[in-house]
Amino acid sequence: MLSTTSQVKVDPRDAKLSMAHFYVAFIALAIGGLMGLLQTLVRSGKFELPGGIGYYEILTVHGVLLGLVLTTFFIMGFQHAAVSRTAGTHSNAARRTGWIGFWVMTIGTTMAATMILMNKATVLYTFYAPLQAHWIFYAGLTFVVVGSWIDGAAQIMTYAKWRKANPGKPGPLLSFMAVVNTVLWFVCSLGVAAEVLFQLLPWSLGLVDRVNVLESRTLFWYFGHPLVYFWLLPAYMCWYAVIPKIIGGKIFSDSLARLSFLLFLLFSIPVGFHHQLTEPGIDPAWKFFQVILTFLVVIPSLMTAFSMFATFESAGRAKGAEGLFGWIKKLPWGDARFTVPFIGMAAFIPAGAGGIVNASNQMDQVVHNTIWITGHFHLTLATSVVLTFFGISYWLIPHLTGRKLSKAMNKLAIIQAWVWLTGMTFMSGSMHAEGLLGAPRRSAFSLYNGAKQAAEWIPYQIAQAIGGSILFLGIILVLIIFVNLAFFAPKGEEEFPVGETDPNAEKTPMVLENWKLWIGLTIILILFAYTIPFIDIIRDAPLGSKGFKTW
Ligand code: HAS
Ligand code: CU
């Protein structure tokens, strides 16, 4: 839905801000991806790390750079561009706020990354206590989170300005979605901020000598699950609001898209216990309640699947497609802007099914802490989300740098996505299978450690090394495309595609933009799901009890 302040091109000053985020994101991809390759090689048992570098050290670099840095910087860069494109250019104050956020995040990233590279923060991307890192690592993480709040505030400022100038109208869809994601991020990252500021930082500084481990893990997962939707929603922004334009169709329903985003806000936070189903100290009744809420948060993804099929089918039929699947032939398969995210979408069907397995208490007992889980998040995050992010970059980077996606790069981008899918089929597929055989995650078990059961895992570990090598080739390809689009592609105008709503769709009801209502409901649900179990955790495992001593 185009508004009066929406413009066809992102203002060059805002474009610079977005691009700054993308440079950091793609540097993180390069380094983090290399570490991933090394991990699969070590696990295959055919390779040892040189110079006394530890497996867990590179695993930490990989997880932090790809899971936390690449994602946060890419998302903030994309959302700045989306808001500026659809709600109007940032005011100087908003843009300044955005830059402050960017620099605070970048300083924090540098602090954390330096500590990891010095082997002083080998605590993996979840930094669970009692693993302890240097205090500079935790301070760096705090900077990243606070920086992202400032960055997000800039986006809200521009959206609020639009609302003020257009009373009674629903905000532009892409801006609305960016704001929901930012609000989700604010609310959930309070959990990790509390964990770091009140527990891990004082403990690493020696101010307290123990932490309540269960409390820290609970605060972490209060944040950790919505974190995965903070990653997913920008991909959904592209699927709902960008893809319809690229395929020459219409957004199936503006209201359905907004409702699904709001459902994510409501249900993605009070579900963290589904990561703690095997942990003692949490009453099973509360675990059960949060599992039910987890199944509720599957609904907006099912709505998304429905909506995407409807968009594809109606676009195809409008172009004369017939029969049940005739529309498939009418999709623009030669266009990387469509095909790359589409491959991500297709991967989300098995990926989501795996998530439902994880969420089912009994089945989680089989897969929890096995490498199945690693397989799960390489399909969700590292395939569906990341391929969509790549697909976005292929038009957004040239749009921001005043260049064009050339035919050659378009072709390379499609090849890249197929390479990625092939590599991930080997890697994630074999991780799922090996997990069912009981192979643990986060471990460097391999041929030479002589573990008895390991024999039946070996073929899968070799398949992972093959997949990891193919994926690394995929990373090299995406970096070539990124550098080309940022610095060398022919000058020109690349479109920032924004879909329009189907004229037959119902009018968007304003209740969907009643922030007091939605944020209020979110808080009520969180309080309901967490208050009593959290009191139990503090009361029954008080700070300093022997069981939770640091060691
Ligand atoms: Fe998950 C663990 C449950 C989604 C990421 N998850 C993780 C971890 C990560 C992660 C990183 O309940 C590991 C954390 C750690 O280190 O310990 N996950 C779920 C559920 C969903 C889910 C129920 N996860 C995600 C997404 C992620 C992500 C998205 C990243 C972006 N996950 C869990 C649980 C655990 C867990 C437990 C803990 C397990 C344990 O034991 O530790 C759902 O949101 C999934 C819903 C998705 C669907 C699919 C809809 C399909 C669509 C595509 C349509 C396709 C089209 C194309 C139109 C229902 C929208 C058509 C094409 C054709 C070719 C036909
Ligand atoms: Cu989760």
Side-chain angles (χ1 to χ4, degrees):
M1 199 183 301
L2 289 181
S3 74
T4 41
T5 40
S6 147
Q7 44 226 335
V8 182
K9 229 179 138 35
V10 174
D11 184 283
R13 292 164 300 171
D14 296 343
K16 237 172 128 184
L17 175 62
S18 282
M19 281 305 294
H21 287 79
F22 292 142
Y23 291 129
V24 180
F26 281 86
I27 292 171
L29 175 67
I31 307 172
L34 177 64
M35 299 302 141
L37 172 66
L38 296 180
Q39 279 151 234
T40 57
L41 295 180
V42 171
R43 286 177 57 87
S44 75
K46 310 256 184 257
F47 174 82
E48 274 182 62
L49 289 168
I53 302 174
Y55 178 79
Y56 295 101
E57 190 180 346
I58 60 167
L59 183 55
T60 307
V61 178
H62 176 76
V64 170
L65 284 187
L66 297 184
L68 305 177
V69 177
L70 163 71
T71 48
T72 311
F73 278 84
F74 186 90
I75 291 166
M76 286 296 159
F78 172 47
Q79 292 191 170
H80 274 300
V83 169
S84 169
R85 162 78 168 80
T86 57
T89 306
H90 279 326
S91 65
N92 288 340
R95 193 174 312 108
R96 206 171 316 120
T97 309
W99 276 111
I100 295 172
F102 168 78
W103 282 112
V104 174
M105 289 206 305
T106 307
I107 293 168
T109 302
T110 315
M111 287 162 68
T114 310
M115 286 302 118
I116 302 172
L117 293 173
M118 287 168 66
N119 200 16
K120 296 228 183 297
T122 299
V123 291
L124 309 181
Y125 86 111
T126 40
F127 44 92
Y128 287 147
L131 290 177
Q132 194 186 49
H134 194 283
W135 67 267
I136 294 181
F137 173 80
Y138 299 120
L141 288 182
T142 311
F143 274 55
V144 174
V145 171
V146 172
S148 68
W149 289 345
I150 303 173
D151 225 349
Q155 296 157 20
I156 294 183
M157 283 162 81
T158 299
Y159 164 81
K161 193 175 82 182
W162 189 98
R163 285 287 304 271
K164 222 170 151 194
N166 297 271
K169 284 197 206 153
L173 182 58
L174 268 175
S175 292
F176 170 84
M177 290 170 149
V179 170
V180 174
N181 203 28
T182 301
V183 172
L184 171 78
W185 177 247
F186 282 162
V187 180
C188 79
S189 51
L190 286 173
V192 74
E195 181 199 5
V196 170
L197 287 179
F198 298 127
Q199 293 195 287
L200 303 182
L201 204 50
W203 173 55
S204 64
L205 283 167
L207 301 177
V208 295
D209 63 349
R210 289 147 197 230
V211 284
N212 179 334
V213 171
L214 184 57
E215 184 185 320
S216 75
R217 290 170 70 94
T218 304
L219 286 172
F220 183 85
W221 285 115
Y222 163 98
F223 153 81
H225 184 78
L227 168 70
V228 316
Y229 294 136
F230 172 69
W231 300 333
L232 180 69
L233 292 192
Y236 276 13
M237 286 164 68
C238 167
W239 298 2
Y240 274 113
V242 173
I243 295 283
K245 178 73 192 243
I246 294 174
I247 65 168
K250 296 270 184 252
I251 297 174
F252 170 67
S253 161
D254 179 276
S255 315
L256 181 142
R258 285 175 206 253
L259 180 65
S260 90
F261 268 58
L262 290 171
L263 292 178
F264 276 111
L265 178 62
L266 288 185
F267 295 123
S268 65
I269 302 166
V271 298
F273 285 169
H274 71 224
H275 292 265
Q276 300 177 281
L277 291 175
T278 58
E279 278 171 42
I282 303 170
D283 191 318
W286 290 106
K287 289 182 179 168
F288 179 65
F289 180 64
Q290 293 210 9
V291 162
I292 293 176
L293 292 179
T294 304
F295 278 88
L296 285 180
V297 82
V298 169
I299 293 173
S301 283
L302 295 176
M303 285 162 62
T304 306
F306 170 80
S307 184
M308 294 319 298
F309 276 113
T311 301
F312 294 148
E313 186 176 344
S314 39
R317 293 208 186 281
K319 290 181 191 162
E322 280 171 21
L324 197 53
F325 294 110
W327 48 271
I328 296 179
K329 282 192 242 132
K330 301 282 176 190
L331 292 169
W333 295 106
D335 187 341
R337 300 172 309 158
F338 162 75
T339 306
V340 177
F342 183 89
I343 295 176
M345 242 180 252
F348 202 48
I349 295 175
I356 294 171
V357 168
N358 300 345
S360 312
N361 178 46
Q362 288 82 341
M363 284 195 267
D364 188 53
Q365 311 300 314
V366 177
V367 295
H368 181 69
N369 267 346
T370 71
I371 199 164
W372 161 287
I373 303 296
T374 320
H376 164 67
F377 66 74
H378 280 82
L379 265 194
T380 47
L381 173 62
T383 309
S384 303
V385 170
V386 157
L387 275 183
T388 305
F389 287 2
F390 292 167
I392 293 170
S393 335
Y394 299 149
W395 50 262
L396 184 54
I397 307 283
H399 177 89
L400 298 175
T401 54
R403 298 179 186 276
K404 275 204 78 70
L405 173 65
S406 61
K407 275 213 169 88
M409 283 300 132
N410 180 64
K411 204 162 172 194
L412 194 59
I414 294 178
I415 295 173
Q416 195 282 338
W418 286 111
V419 167
W420 199 264
L421 183 70
T422 313
M424 210 49 99
T425 306
F426 272 97
M427 200 185 82
S428 174
S430 59
M431 284 174 164
H432 279 91
E434 196 193 349
L436 291 179
L437 296 174
R441 65 185 286 198
R442 298 179 147 166
S443 70
F445 273 112
S446 53
L447 272 177
Y448 52 78
N449 72 12
K452 203 163 164 249
Q453 320 88 304
E456 61 187 278
W457 303 337
I458 291 165
Y460 299 100
Q461 291 170 349
I462 292 174
Q464 283 156 37
I466 295 171
S469 309
I470 300 174
L471 283 165
F472 189 65
L473 174 68
I475 288 193
I476 294 175
L477 293 181
V478 78
L479 290 172
I480 292 174
I481 305 172
F482 174 76
V483 171
N484 178 281
L485 295 177
F487 303 108
F488 301 109
K491 296 255 179 216
E493 299 256 318
E494 184 69 46
E495 182 195 3
F496 184 142
V498 179
E500 283 163 39
T501 312
D502 197 320
N504 300 323
E506 295 277 329
K507 203 169 154 278
T508 305
M510 279 310 285
V511 61
L512 294 175
E513 222 133 340
N514 184 340
W515 293 101
K516 279 193 196 118
L517 172 71
W518 300 109
I519 296 175
L521 282 175
T522 304
I523 293 171
I524 291 172
L525 264 175
I526 293 172
L527 289 178
F528 192 66
Y530 270 112
T531 310
I532 297 176
F534 204 71
I535 291 173
D536 286 348
I537 288 168
I538 294 174
R539 193 191 48 208
D540 298 338
L543 200 65
S545 76
K546 282 270 183 287
F548 295 93
K549 224 176 110 180
T550 33
W551 59 84

